Structures are given as structure tokens and as C-alpha cells.
Amino acid sequence: MSAAATAPRTATAPPEEWEPGSMIVLVGPPASGKSTWTQARFPASARVSLDAFRQLLTDDEADQGANEEALDLRARVLDGRLRRGRTTVCDSTSIEIAARAGLLARARAYGRRAVAVRFDTPLEECLARNAARERTVREGVVRAMQTALPTVEELYAEGFDAVHHPGDTAP
């Protein structure tokens, strides 16, 4: 086996232009800058957000009781966009491997490229941003998600075609 075959893969800077039809999966804890980063780079139509679907259903994006219905809505929107070859950004934490596996399977079902953007914002920065928000997430949840953040190698091993780091995530 060559040295290149065993060399660890790394996260790279995001491309200037994304491959059309790609599914871009954001991976990071709350307050790591995912939504801010996405809003600065993609049209609203490309952003598929569980928070936004909970907001539509209940007028409260934090209402976890609406998750099942929000996930159903997300699945329908993802299917429609991927079927049409539209670049799509999955804006949620995607910390759990099962959540990422479902998104990867959906991208593959439509023959689409699946790309992860890994937000490894320092914990203290996430906690400070979270505290400054109107809607906060419990500190223990932020800490647990930061601890569970998958490595770049894990994301590649799961099947992502590329893994990027977001660069500056400051609001």
C-alpha cells in the first residue's frame, strides 16, 4: 500500500463554487456558526433547516415536540431538491451518525455528491455565542455535542465525498 493511500485525509477550504446538485451537510454543535455561515453563502431556497420547519409548524423553532413533523417536511424538501439537481444545504447539527447516514443515503439515492462542512468552533466561543442568543440551548447540550463532533477521518469513512472547514464563522 502506498504512503498516499494511508495518509490521513484533511478538511479543506470550501470551494468558490459548489458542484451543482451537491448535498452539503453542516456538522457542528449549536452556536458554532452554521446558520450564519450558510446565510452568507447560499440563497434561502438552498437552505433546508429543521429550525425553520419547527418555526413553520409551531411558531417556535425550539419546539422539539415538532421534530417528527419537521423531519418529514425536511425529507420531502430534500427529495424534491435532490431529484431536480439543486444544490442543497442541510442546516442542522448532524452530530449523530444516524442523522448523517440518513442524509448520505438520500444523496446517494439521487446520485448526488455529499459534502460535509465540519464546524469545530472552540467550545468557549460556542458557549459565549449561545449565551448571547435570544433562544439558547442548554449548556450541557452544547458541551455534549462539541464532545461528540466527528473527526474529519470519521466523516470520510462514513462516505462523504469531501470534508471542508468553514473558515471564519464570526457573526
Side-chain angles (χ1 to χ4, degrees), residues 19-24 82 107-108 110-115 161-162 164:
E19 183 176 316
S22 295
M23 176 187 279
I24 301 157
L82 293 170
R108 298 298 180 237
Y110 291 97
R112 302 296 173 202
R113 183 171 166 81
V115 177
D161 297 303
H164 299 291

Side-chain angles (χ1 to χ4, degrees), residues 7 23 26 34 36 40 48 51 64-65 67 83 88 98 105 115 140 151 165:
M23 176 187 279
L26 308 183
K34 298 179 303 298
T36 301
V48 180
D51 286 348
Q64 299 298 308
N67 268 354
R83 183 174 28 262
T88 303
V115 177
T151 66
H165 59 79

Side-chain angles (χ1 to χ4, degrees), residues 50-65:
L50 283 177
D51 286 348
F53 289 129
R54 284 191 296 264
Q55 177 82 32
L56 284 170
L57 292 165
T58 67
D59 296 328
D60 179 3
E61 66 183 27
D63 185 346
Q64 299 298 308

Side-chain angles (χ1 to χ4, degrees), residues 15 40 58 64 75-76 97 115 118 133 139 146 152-153 156 163-164:
T58 67
Q64 299 298 308
R76 291 182 62 112
I97 192 169
V115 177
R118 184 179 179 272
R133 289 175 155 183
E139 182 176 320
Q146 179 75 12
V152 171
E153 274 298 316
Y156 276 118
V163 179
H164 299 291

